[in-house]
Amino acid sequence: MNYTEAKDKFISTWGSLGTLWGINKAMAQIHALLWISPEPLSMENIMEELHISRGNTSMNLRQLMDWGIVFKESKPGERKEYFASEKDVQELARQVAKERSRREIKPVIKVLKEVSAIEGDGTKKTEELIKQTKALYELADSADTMMNKIVNQESNWITKTLMKLIK
């Protein structure tokens, strides 16, 4: 497999995996391209490489910047904007985990807390609803708290966390 085939395969695979992060395929492909690029790329470079429209590229770059994993860069003497990805794998994982918690887990925890706090009316079905949603709330809240502790560790957080679990 040559460079072009390997690059295309990686970008395609990363695009497919993006849906597991909760992002669309084009957004993940843009990220993959920027991640493996040794130099920042312009919007035109990205559009040409991935064969996607300006609007799609622009919208997804904005979202990647909102996630904190893509940054704008400028080159002296050029008017074009260039984009680069976070290159540190651990920092990338931290940012993705933080965003997934903020966008997906915290809203669910909020709903579970509200639902489990309803006033009981003495019926079995209400009591079961309260019991089960409270148990799920406690589990989700504990998991989110644990994930936030892991995410907020300083450098080499994966190693530190694994060592704590082993002890």
Side-chain angles (χ1 to χ4, degrees), residues 1-140:
M1 182 181 318
N2 66 29
Y3 168 79
T4 301
E5 292 168 334
K7 178 187 71 166
D8 291 345
K9 188 171 191 168
F10 173 73
I11 290 170
S12 175
T13 302
W14 198 252
S16 298
L17 289 173
T19 58
L20 298 175
W21 287 6
I23 64 173
N24 70 56
K25 185 176 179 178
M27 186 173 161
Q29 288 179 327
I30 291 169
H31 177 257
L33 176 63
L34 292 172
W35 197 26
I36 63 171
S37 177
E39 297 292 324
L41 300 176
S42 70
M43 187 178 303
E44 291 75 17
N45 297 138
I46 296 166
M47 291 165 41
E48 183 179 318
E49 182 75 35
L50 299 177
H51 308 288
I52 57 177
S53 71
R54 179 175 297 281
N56 195 5
T57 305
S58 176
M59 177 184 66
N60 284 302
L61 282 169
R62 259 185 269 121
Q63 287 183 316
L64 287 164
M65 287 186 291
D66 288 346
W67 278 65
I69 59 176
V70 167
F71 312 97
K72 275 186 193 178
E73 292 190 8
S74 58
K75 291 187 178 182
E78 293 208 28
R79 291 175 35 158
K80 285 184 187 178
E81 292 179 329
Y82 289 84
F83 302 89
S85 171
E86 172 61 58
K87 299 291 186 182
D88 183 306
V89 177
Q90 291 180 356
E91 183 58 29
L92 178 64
R94 288 171 46 147
Q95 284 300 113
V96 169
K98 283 168 60 173
E99 274 303 301
R100 294 222 41 206
S101 173
R102 185 179 72 80
R103 293 172 184 248
E104 299 166 27
I105 299 169
K106 291 203 185 315
V108 170
I109 289 172
K110 181 181 177 197
V111 169
L112 289 170
K113 186 176 183 180
E114 290 172 4
V115 171
S116 66
I118 65 170
E119 193 172 315
D121 60 7
T123 64
K124 276 185 145 185
K125 64 182 183 181
T126 302
E127 296 308 314
E128 188 66 15
L129 172 67
I130 292 169
K131 176 183 164 189
Q132 296 303 336
T133 56
K134 186 174 185 175
L136 191 54
Y137 162 76
E138 289 169 356
L139 175 68

